[in-house]
Amino acid sequence: MKTLKKRLRIGLGLLFLLFCLPFSLVAQAVDQGPTILGGPSKTGTAAAQFLQIGVSPRGAGLGDSYVALVNDASGAFYNPGVLSLINQKQAFFSHTNLPAGIAHYFVSYVQPVGNIGNFALSFTALTTGDIPITVAYKGPTGESFSVSQIAVGLSYSRRLTNMVSFGVTTKFIAEDLAGFDNRTVAFDLGLLYQMGYRNARLGMSLTNFGSDVSYGGKSDLGFDSQRFPMPLTFRFGAAIDLLYSDNNKIWLTAELHQPNDNLRNESIGLEYIFNDLIFLRGGWKIDEEKDGFAESLAFGVGINLSISGINGMFDVSWTQMSYLNDLLRLDRKSTRLNSSHTDISRMPSSA
């Protein structure tokens, strides 16, 4: 019987990899061929860039190696396939202050619905405030403009077996870029496979799949618009626990990240958990945009608190940036508990 289960897990793992292959080929296909803008990496050629900004300090602290390890409501961003593993109502909020006074927000809420599956609502926003208009050789005009981008998503996730979960998200996206307006719809797809050996997990997601967008005719600034593709992104990763005891846990993660407007990059992350209370994280990201080996470091900490039956998780991360100021991210996650807390990162995965 054990041999049969082992063979079944291996077989399902191979099927999972074969299922992921077409999505990887799609993501790489859109990154091939000559381009006028952005050089060979096509940097700056996709629309709605705010959809690529990571929302979780835990994920950021792991070097963005998170598609297989994510286990909370931020899965609505990284991998909707994991949302079916959440067995309690859960809310997630994150805020990031970006350079030049730009603010980024993400909110999500997961609602389990019995045997039907889990649903989630998510909201993403990026705002700039007022930006002075400056004309070349003339200086400021005394006028200003602003940029706002929002996305509202509805996710559905369900377990196919004890080992395989899937999820899909439909997103409505609205952008206002100095008079260039855009309204469009995009889709995310996510899968999670729990292998049953040392809690190993394989995760895959294909996000921001949609048609090319145009920002209309002539903007308030006098420029004509053109059509741009959505920021299609393929993620494939793995996570495994190196140590799992009552008081000490260590997770190792690795991920391949392939966007359609940049070169492929890889990342690895390590998380140490003490008594399910204190979380220490580190990550390393290899960005191939800069001579093939632009190293980016990340660190993060978290604390888990429970007050009056509500479990609260607070995370903060620091990310090294090559050209801009380093980033600090903050988030808060809360879960209403019924009688006990379930660690969904260690859910049973036997067939």
Side-chain angles (χ1 to χ4, degrees):
M1 183 62 68
K2 290 184 178 179
T3 301
L4 178 61
K5 288 185 177 181
K6 183 176 180 181
R7 291 178 178 176
L8 179 61
R9 293 190 183 103
I10 294 174
L12 285 174
L14 292 175
L15 287 175
F16 182 88
L17 294 175
L18 290 174
F19 186 81
C20 292
L21 180 61
F23 297 101
S24 176
L25 295 177
V26 168
Q28 293 195 40
V30 297
D31 193 39
Q32 303 299 320
T35 182
I36 298 175
L37 299 173
S41 66
K42 293 189 176 182
T43 303
T45 59
Q49 287 291 304
F50 77 108
L51 297 176
Q52 292 186 317
I53 300 174
V55 302
S56 171
R58 184 190 183 200
L62 293 167
D64 286 331
S65 179
Y66 202 38
V67 70
L69 187 60
V70 57
N71 60 1
D72 56 30
S74 67
F77 174 86
Y78 293 97
N79 182 359
V82 308
L83 298 176
S84 63
L85 306 184
I86 299 174
N87 56 9
Q88 308 271 351
K89 298 177 182 179
Q90 188 177 105
F92 178 95
F93 172 79
S94 70
H95 170 239
T96 304
N97 283 323
L98 299 167
I102 299 172
H104 181 270
Y105 303 90
F106 179 80
V107 180
S108 61
Y109 172 77
V110 177
Q111 174 66 59
V113 187
N115 295 329
I116 297 177
N118 287 5
F119 291 87
L121 285 173
S122 58
F123 176 79
T124 309
L126 184 144
T127 60
T128 64
D130 292 334
I131 302 174
I133 297 176
T134 301
V135 179
Y137 306 111
K138 294 182 180 180
T141 65
E143 300 176 322
S144 63
F145 70 96
S146 63
V147 172
S148 63
Q149 300 172 294
I150 65 170
V152 180
L154 175 63
S155 304
Y156 171 71
S157 182
R158 181 180 175 87
R159 286 193 178 206
L160 299 179
T161 70
N162 287 339
M163 294 182 287
V164 180
S165 304
F166 88 100
V168 61
T169 299
T170 301
K171 294 186 287 191
F172 172 75
I173 302 161
E175 299 180 273
D176 182 5
L177 311 177
F180 285 117
D181 294 333
N182 167 55
R183 304 291 184 271
T184 190
V185 175
F187 302 92
D188 300 343
L189 176 67
L191 287 170
L192 181 72
Y193 173 57
Q194 300 179 92
M195 301 180 66
Y197 171 75
R198 299 194 67 87
N199 299 296
R201 300 149 62 104
L202 297 177
M204 183 280 293
S205 69
L206 185 69
T207 57
N208 308 317
F209 181 80
S211 59
D212 292 355
V213 299
S214 174
Y215 293 91
K218 193 177 293 292
S219 77
D220 296 341
L221 300 181
F223 298 101
D224 292 327
S225 176
Q226 65 183 77
R227 297 190 68 84
F228 296 90
M230 292 296 293
L232 183 68
T233 302
F234 173 76
R235 295 180 177 89
F236 180 79
I240 188 171
D241 69 77
L242 302 180
L243 173 66
Y244 208 107
S245 65
D246 291 339
N247 296 324
N248 298 280
K249 304 177 180 65
I250 298 178
W251 281 98
L252 174 66
T253 68
E255 181 171 322
L256 179 148
H257 182 226
Q258 175 69 69
N260 68 340
D261 62 343
N262 211 322
L263 300 177
R264 185 184 70 247
N265 60 72
E266 298 84 21
S267 60
I268 58 174
L270 198 67
E271 179 179 60
Y272 169 71
I273 306 172
F274 173 71
N275 204 31
D276 288 326
L277 179 64
I278 304 297
F279 300 75
L280 302 176
R281 308 177 183 108
W284 181 45
K285 184 175 182 180
I286 303 175
D287 186 353
E288 299 188 4
E289 171 66 16
K290 182 180 178 182
D291 300 328
F293 297 98
E295 301 171 2
S296 179
L297 297 175
F299 299 97
V301 297
I303 185 169
N304 193 9
L305 299 175
S306 182
I307 301 175
S308 300
I310 297 179
N311 186 57
M313 183 74 189
F314 299 88
D315 290 302
V316 61
S317 69
W318 170 88
T319 305
Q320 179 188 28
M321 304 292 287
S322 298
Y323 303 107
L324 302 174
N325 294 333
D326 298 340
L327 287 183
L328 282 175
R329 288 181 172 90
L330 302 171
D331 82 354
R332 182 178 67 181
K333 176 185 71 177
S334 62
T335 304
R336 171 66 68 177
L337 304 180
N338 291 330
S339 57
S340 63
H341 173 61
T342 300
D343 183 357
I344 63 175
S345 65
R346 194 174 169 82
M347 297 283 290
S349 57
S350 58

